[in-house]
Amino acid sequence: QVRLVESGGGLVQAGDSLRLSCAISGGPVSTYPVGWFRQAPGKEREFVAGMTWNSGRTNYEDAVKGRFTISRDITKKMVYLQMNSLEPEDTAVYYCAHRWRSTVSIPILANEYEFWGQGTQVTVSS
């Protein structure tokens, strides 16, 4: 069974940076995509960034383009989300996700990912 564990969240001020980490364990990492989602209170879980594991191809939600960067370390089975120029609107619980089915594109819907971490809280004060 694949297990994902996020870390790195916290309370920061607007304009600050944070780096989230996601450790993948419990099974071989497939060639399928990994992604970061976030969920703010009262809102649906939304796609933030995704990456194909082997090729490193990426996709970002428009609101974070130029500010957030997804990356991975294949040997360590780690996925990262570098978040710069944080805004209060970025406040949410951030989740790491791993898809375990073949796909041509990087999925942006939560129901297209099979495995999830428990989430890490990011709070950005103004």
Side-chain angles (χ1 to χ4, degrees), residues 66-107:
R67 299 190 298 123
F68 291 11
T69 303
I70 186 172
S71 62
R72 88 277 191 234
D73 185 322
I74 293 176
T75 58
K76 295 182 178 179
K77 295 185 181 181
M78 295 289 296
V79 183
Y80 305 100
L81 185 67
Q82 178 66 42
M83 305 185 295
N84 299 328
S85 302
L86 282 162
E87 303 168 353
E89 293 73 23
D90 296 318
T91 295
V93 177
Y94 284 71
Y95 298 90
C96 178
H98 195 3
R99 178 179 169 96
W100 211 258
R101 290 167 286 155
S102 63
T103 177
V104 174
S105 60
I106 298 171

Side-chain angles (χ1 to χ4, degrees), residues 1-6 22 24-30 32-37 45 95-101 110-118:
Q1 184 74 1
V2 176
R3 183 168 179 249
L4 289 75
V5 179
E6 303 96 336
C22 174
I24 304 175
S25 63
V29 177
S30 76
Y32 306 148
V34 291
W36 286 96
F37 286 73
R45 194 169 297 189
Y95 298 90
C96 178
H98 195 3
R99 178 179 169 96
W100 211 258
R101 290 167 286 155
N111 61 13
E112 296 185 87
Y113 291 80
E114 286 83 1
F115 297 104
W116 292 84
Q118 81 289 348

Side-chain angles (χ1 to χ4, degrees), residues 18-58:
L18 272 179
R19 186 196 195 204
L20 305 183
S21 300
C22 174
I24 304 175
S25 63
V29 177
S30 76
T31 59
Y32 306 148
V34 291
W36 286 96
F37 286 73
R38 64 186 179 186
Q39 188 166 17
K43 295 187 177 181
E44 293 188 354
R45 194 169 297 189
E46 65 174 1
F47 175 80
V48 175
M51 169 178 275
T52 55
W53 187 256
N54 279 3
S55 70
R57 180 164 52 92
T58 60

